[in-house]
Amino acid sequence: MARVLIADDEESVRLMVARALALDGHQTVTAEDGAEALDILNRDRRSFDLLLTDIKMPIMDGIALALAAASGFPKLTILLMTGFADQRERTSGLDAIVHDVIAKPFSVEDIRAAVADALAAQR
């Protein structure tokens, strides 16, 4: 299955998403913010199939992370998550690097389906 990097500053969201994706056999690694996620991407020798990141986070937000990840890892599929309408608007123009934006709150089924869709589009 896929290897997924989850970046979200809310621990409960990171844990719920990691558990949901584990149901489908995916391996997950989590980060508390964009800077930590970018560090993981840069230092981890095993590649990731998907980056799933919140937009609004401290230190480095999800859009800055997506731009850096797309530049350094062009084959990486990127999904953004947000609970804020104004943050969703910031994603306009990122269609070339972002597969989709998932609205929070979401159910376990919603996140599993969004990840499955993103991974299927990657193939």
Side-chain angles (χ1 to χ4, degrees):
M1 299 277 31
R3 193 154 184 263
V4 181
L5 177 56
I6 303 163
D8 197 300
D9 58 322
E10 294 181 52
E11 183 179 18
S12 60
V13 173
R14 287 192 313 269
L15 293 174
M16 187 269 287
V17 171
R19 287 184 185 133
L21 299 184
L23 293 171
D24 294 324
H26 301 304
Q27 180 188 8
T28 60
V29 176
T30 62
E32 294 181 11
D33 58 58
E36 182 183 7
L38 187 57
D39 183 51
I40 290 168
L41 283 171
N42 285 321
R43 75 167 189 245
D44 199 316
R45 296 205 168 136
R46 296 170 291 163
S47 64
F48 287 91
D49 301 294
L50 178 70
L51 170 62
L52 178 58
T53 182
D54 191 19
I55 294 176
K56 191 171 183 175
M57 296 184 292
I59 303 174
M60 175 186 268
D61 73 10
I63 291 178
L65 172 59
L67 292 168
S71 174
F73 307 91
K75 293 183 180 181
L76 182 65
T77 299
I78 301 170
L79 280 175
L80 299 176
M81 306 178 282
T82 190
F84 301 94
D86 63 325
Q87 297 299 315
R88 188 178 183 95
E89 290 172 11
R90 291 180 56 212
T91 66
S92 65
L94 296 178
D95 293 343
I97 64 167
V98 173
H99 177 77
D100 199 4
V101 181
I102 304 157
K104 289 180 176 180
F106 47 75
S107 69
V108 167
E109 293 79 20
D110 292 339
I111 197 66
R112 290 173 69 196
V115 166
D117 178 65
L119 293 171
Q122 180 184 62
R123 296 185 182 112

